[in-house]
Structures are given as C-alpha cells and as structure tokens.
Amino acid sequence: MSRDRDQEHRAATPLELFFDLCFVVAVAQAGIQLVHAVAEDHAGEGVLSYAMAFFAIWWAWMNFTWFASAYDNDDALYRLVTFVQIAGVLILAAGISDAFTERDFFFVWLGYVVMRVALASQWLRAARHASGAERTMALRYAAGVLLCQVGWTALLFTPESVLPWVFLVMALAELSVPMLAERHFSTSWHAHHIAERYGLFTIIVLGETIAAATVAVKSGLEENDALDELLPIAAGGLLLVFSAWWIYFVVPAHSRLRSNREGFLWGYGHYLIFASAAAIGAGLEVAVEQAVGEAHISVRAASAAVTLPTALFLLLVWVLHARYFKVGIAQQLVLPCAALGVLLCTFAGHWAVLAAGLVAAAAVATGLALTARMAPRESVVARAGAG
C-alpha cells in the first residue's frame, strides 16, 4: 500500500541511509577515473565518461529513492529486495573503471540487471495491492524499467564511436518512464522525505569530496614535501566544501515541492548538482597532482578542474531552489555573481583554489548580511540563513 503523502514526521530510515552509503563506493570510483583522465590531459573524454558513469549512479539512486518515498513499508520482504538492489550497486561500482578506460559496460549493465529485477518486483508488488489508476501506474513503471534495461543491452555491442549517442537515447528513455507512468496517477511521494533524502546524498557527495582532497594532500606531502604549494589548495578546498554545504541547506527545499511537475524538475536537475559537487573533489585532486608535478596539464587547466564544477554547483543550486527564497535583487544576485567570481579565479594561477574558496565564503557572508538587514521585513524562512 502507498504511504500517506501528508504523513507527519516522515524521515529517512536506517535502510535508506545504508543504501545511500553503498553509493559512496561508486561515486569514489567515478571521481578517481575523472582525476586520472584530466591529469593526463584527456579532459574531454574524461568529462564525457564521467557524465555517463554518474548518470548510471544517480539514476539507480533516484529509482529507489522515489519508490521508497511512496511505498516503503519496511517489512522483511521489502528489506531483502533492497539488499538485492544494494548488491547491484556494488557490482555497478566495480564496473566504473572499465566503463571509463575501456568503454566496457558489462559490469555496469550487470549491476543494473540486478537492481532492475529487484525494482520491477517492488513495483509489481505495489500493483498487486493497488487498484484502478494506481495499479496501472505501478505496472507501467515495472514495464518501463524492464524495457529500458533491455535497451541498455545495446551498450554491450555498440561501436565506441556511436556509444555516447546510444547512451543519450537510453538516458532520455529512462527519464521519460516516470512521466509516462504517472500521466493519470501520481505516486504519493513525500516532499519533506524527498528533500531530506536528496540532502543526505548531497552530504555523502560532499563528504567524498573532502575524503578525496585529504588523500590527495596527504600523498602530496609524503611524496614531494610541497607544503607551501598544497596549503592554499587545502584551505581553499575546505572553504569551498563548507560554503557548498551552507548554500545548499540554508533554504527549506521541501516547502516548494508541491506537484509532480515541480518534483520532476527539481529531482532531475540534481543530476548536475550531485555530479558537480563530486567533481569538485576530483578537481582538488587534480590541483594537488599539478602542484606536485604529477599532472601533465597547466596550472590554469588544473584550476579550471576546480572552478568550473564549483561555479556550476552554485548556479544550479540557485536555479533549482535558492532563488525562490530570495527577497529583492541584491539577494537574487549573490549566487550568480559568486559563480562568475569563481570562474574568474581560474586565472589566479597557483592561488586559484584559495581564491575560489574565498569567493564562495564571501557569498555566504554577503547572504548573511543581506538577510540580517532585511530580517524585520522577511519571513521566518528567509531568516534561516544566506547564500
């Protein structure tokens, strides 16, 4: 049975947190491969492969998250089927490196097979306990999931030259399944629960960014004793991650998720938010490798590996939900101007990462100041923070 969309105190479950945690491995693998590609001066190929790999990671997470928001009954069978999906996630993670370097998607595809069979069984179970339009919707989901999985098999036989186009077609097919399935009946997803789940995944991605940057700095210090070059990168990286967390969580995103249209736009847009947040960590690793002489790229290219995903993150957070909570042109301009400022930091040479971190921190401080000044005229929501 579906859950009540207006249920009070709906929060993420320990099983959902465990499911999210297993994605750390996959995100880390995608980040590592992106670092290698950019550091070897193959940024174009690396970004394309990263975009495809991260779509596979994000979409697997999306499928489970939205289903769980509406139909998680937390009984023994549900838990066991979720464990099967987790096994599929780990198989997917194991195949990320081959997908990057060899364009071999077999293990990514196999991980999806495991996850998709489990997910389809969950939708069929939901259909068995539903009737009318809701039952039709659940059956459409099950059919769409399985048909798309059959379509993904084409990746195993597609020549490398056209593989990105086949991937794009299948990605669009995947994105269309929820919209087609819910034409006449909407799942009872819970806005607060969905916002919390997305927030938790954002924390996981930012945590992976900190971990990756820490390992890179540690390795650089041990192998090259380049403290003077690495301290600005470490300080700037921390400022970037702290600012990214602040800016993302300062507004209550769930308060504007009132319809499927809003939910789809917000949920789909997070592909780029998650991917750019994870790419910041990869960029910091590239900057460290360049600073210690292990990357075959220029200082400006290494700086761009940090500033480009950071600017994209700031801009997308503003587009998807921050702008709906801003009052006046001054507050509205904080994040777009910060994104532009971070991009300009690309030309700051060895100080680029630190400069970008200072710009992001300044955006937070500016938002706080504007909010404090407007506090007597703003709502309780606007008084929550800045960014």
Side-chain angles (χ1 to χ4, degrees), residues 2-3 45 48 52 61 131 166 171-172 174 183 186 206 208 251 259 262 267 282 290 304-305 328 342 362 374:
S2 61
R3 302 186 66 148
E45 296 176 15
L48 178 60
M52 293 192 292
W61 179 85
S131 60
V166 173
L172 292 175
E174 289 278 4
R183 281 186 304 169
S186 299
L206 291 176
E208 175 58 33
V251 295
S259 67
E262 292 171 335
Q290 198 284 328
V342 167
M374 301 183 68

Side-chain angles (χ1 to χ4, degrees), residues 16-329:
E16 289 174 320
L17 298 178
F18 184 44
F19 185 87
D20 289 356
L21 185 62
C22 294
F23 274 87
V24 170
V25 182
V27 172
Q29 287 297 313
I32 289 170
Q33 297 303 321
L34 179 60
V35 170
H36 292 164
V38 175
E40 294 298 323
D41 200 18
H42 301 301
E45 296 176 15
V47 170
L48 178 60
S49 296
Y50 176 76
M52 293 192 292
F54 206 94
F55 179 88
I57 296 167
W58 165 77
W59 190 244
W61 179 85
M62 279 270 292
N63 276 242
F64 171 80
T65 297
W66 287 80
F67 176 87
S69 189
Y71 291 101
D72 177 10
N73 61 10
D74 203 33
D75 64 2
L77 181 57
Y78 179 87
R79 292 181 178 187
L80 290 172
V81 175
T82 300
F83 288 159
V84 173
Q85 289 181 268
I86 289 174
V89 172
L90 299 179
I91 296 171
L92 163 68
I96 293 294
S97 59
D98 285 344
F100 250 90
T101 59
E102 306 293 336
R103 289 290 197 271
D104 181 356
F105 284 86
F106 176 76
F107 283 106
V108 172
W109 172 84
L110 181 60
Y112 253 66
V113 169
V114 174
M115 288 187 288
R116 285 311 180 67
V117 170
L119 179 65
S121 71
Q122 294 279 45
W123 278 115
L124 291 173
R125 188 185 182 200
R128 187 164 65 88
H129 295 282
S131 60
E134 182 179 8
R135 183 174 185 275
T136 300
M137 179 270 298
L139 291 174
R140 283 177 176 171
Y141 261 114
V145 163
L146 294 175
L147 284 174
C148 283
Q149 186 54 45
V150 172
W152 283 116
T153 306
L155 290 180
L156 304 180
F157 308 101
T158 301
E160 186 173 337
S161 59
V162 297
L163 192 148
W165 297 106
V166 173
F167 194 100
L168 177 61
V169 169
M170 287 310 307
L172 292 175
E174 289 278 4
L175 294 173
S176 69
V177 169
M179 291 181 282
L180 293 174
E182 299 192 27
R183 281 186 304 169
H184 305 300
F185 187 92
S186 299
T187 52
S188 55
W189 51 273
H190 193 285
H192 189 280
H193 175 251
I194 283 293
E196 181 187 18
R197 297 284 284 111
Y198 273 72
L200 291 170
F201 200 77
T202 300
I203 290 174
I204 285 176
V205 171
L206 291 176
E208 175 58 33
T209 292
I210 290 179
T214 301
V215 171
V217 171
K218 181 176 181 295
S219 300
L221 289 174
E222 290 177 348
E223 297 176 10
N224 297 276
D225 193 24
L227 185 61
D228 291 343
E229 291 83 1
L230 297 180
L231 273 180
I233 297 174
L238 280 178
L239 287 174
L240 287 175
V241 174
F242 292 162
S243 299
W245 177 89
W246 190 294
I247 289 166
Y248 183 90
F249 287 101
V250 74
V251 295
H254 67 274
S255 63
R256 63 170 299 269
L257 299 179
R258 296 179 295 270
S259 67
N260 265 22
R261 185 172 181 274
E262 292 171 335
F264 283 144
L265 179 62
W266 186 84
Y268 285 0
H270 268 71
Y271 161 64
L272 290 175
I273 287 183
F274 291 153
S276 59
I280 293 172
L284 291 172
E285 288 194 67
V286 171
V288 168
E289 291 194 10
Q290 198 284 328
V292 299
E294 294 182 2
H296 306 295
I297 55 175
S298 66
V299 173
R300 184 172 297 175
S303 300
V306 178
T307 58
L308 288 177
T310 300
L312 181 61
F313 177 88
L314 295 175
L315 192 60
L316 285 170
V317 171
W318 176 76
V319 168
L320 286 177
H321 62 252
R323 65 190 176 97
Y324 296 98
F325 300 90
K326 304 305 175 184
V327 179
I329 189 65

